[in-house]
Amino acid sequence: MCGIVGLFLKKDDMRPQLGTLLSDMLITMTDRGPDSAGVAIYGAETPGQVKITIQSDTPDVAYDGLIAAMATEIGVTPDLRRVDTHAVLTVAEADETAARDWLMARGLRIMGAGHAMEIYKEVGLPADVTERFGLRAMGGSHGIGHTRMATESAVTTDGAHPFSTADDQCLVHNGSLSNHNQMRRKLARQGVHTTSENDTEVGAAYISARIAGGDSLGEALEGTLRDLDGFFTFVTGTRNGFGVVRDPIACKPAVMAETDDYVAFASEYRAFADLPGIEGARVWEPEPATVYFWER
């Protein structure tokens, strides 16, 4: 019984409000998942640059001297912005692979990477997690969030959502996949590897693999209905927008709202209560086995 939220802003003048609106939505879903919480924010981009979000349980040690060590060992000098246990490193596109390999070799967790996307997630209540990372001060075009009640894997940062398996792509999930181990092996044979035991990461990897193979976001989400078994509501974020799909039985709750200013998703309607103009929104429950997506 997890809680999912998502917000896609249609108008640029609302971008400064994204973090505050998303925080309030996520906190409202606390009783659906008090174990851990996380968000993906799609914010400002710098041409030719990629942001890599990393996490460490010992950030004071891990981030001290990191820039100098990276410059010395692989000739890459990133900008580093620390955010509690996380840090966002900005590097040139051409240096992304080398930087990722070096960071993982040092035992740092990579939360995600992309031109626009930053991911923050930790164990704890949504109110605590959003405060630790200063989410209310973050702006952007869209974002998704998740508050987790663990069922099939441990309560850890690695098990928290969102999961990212490709640049500027991430996924949050309410439900349980019954064929995730089989799909994990299938993806591994295709060269697509996951790093956690969480079934949601398999769903994220499946969608990323389909997009890498030439599918649109809509086509990749439609593929989940054929190839993934179990109960699921997926919300996926991309550089340009976000998409929603529910399994054919659709036993996991979901509701959407749309105005001229935004599209919002949540596990329950009460998460929309503080959105501006919600009283005039078109509100509906997403249909089973139906793909919805919005892109810029």
Side-chain angles (χ1 to χ4, degrees), residues 207-216:
I207 293 169
S208 295
R210 292 291 298 264
I211 291 174
D215 279 2
S216 66

Side-chain angles (χ1 to χ4, degrees), residues 20-193:
T20 294
L21 296 173
L22 201 61
S23 294
D24 289 339
M25 293 174 71
L26 190 63
I27 291 168
T28 304
M29 294 290 96
T30 297
D31 59 355
R32 295 195 62 86
D35 297 332
S36 58
V39 294
I41 293 286
Y42 291 83
E45 300 186 27
T46 302
Q49 302 287 303
V50 172
K51 297 183 285 187
I52 304 173
T53 309
I54 60 175
Q55 188 270 354
S56 173
D57 293 335
T58 56
D60 290 338
V61 174
Y63 303 151
D64 183 35
L66 186 147
I67 294 175
M70 183 178 287
T72 299
E73 296 180 23
I74 61 172
V76 175
T77 305
D79 290 329
L80 185 150
R81 171 168 50 91
R82 180 174 167 183
V83 188
D84 198 76
T85 57
H86 290 41
V88 180
L89 279 69
T90 302
V91 301
E93 290 177 342
D95 294 330
E96 180 184 358
T97 298
R100 290 176 67 110
D101 290 346
W102 185 87
L103 291 164
M104 288 188 292
R106 287 175 69 96
L108 293 164
R109 298 185 179 99
I110 295 180
M111 301 287 97
H115 296 84
M117 183 184 73
E118 299 175 15
I119 289 180
Y120 302 94
K121 57 183 184 178
E122 276 293 1
V123 172
L125 296 172
D128 296 333
V129 172
T130 57
E131 182 176 356
R132 286 176 64 179
F133 295 123
L135 178 60
R136 291 185 184 278
M138 296 183 190
S141 56
H142 58 291
I144 62 176
H146 186 273
T147 182
R148 182 176 184 230
M149 181 176 290
T151 56
E152 85 318 313
S153 60
V155 179
T156 62
T157 303
D158 285 338
H161 303 208
F163 281 94
S164 178
T165 49
D167 280 10
D168 285 310
Q169 295 174 26
C170 64
L171 182 73
V172 293
H173 167 212
N174 181 17
S176 180
L177 302 180
S178 57
N179 68 332
H180 63 96
N181 285 324
Q182 177 185 357
M183 182 58 65
R184 194 189 306 271
R185 291 190 293 270
K186 181 177 180 180
L187 289 168
R189 289 194 294 270
Q190 298 172 6
V192 180
H193 299 283

Side-chain angles (χ1 to χ4, degrees), residues 153 156 158-160 163 184 193-202:
S153 60
T156 62
D158 285 338
F163 281 94
R184 194 189 306 271
H193 299 283
T194 55
T195 59
S196 76
E197 297 179 354
N198 195 293
D199 59 340
T200 303
E201 188 181 13
V202 176

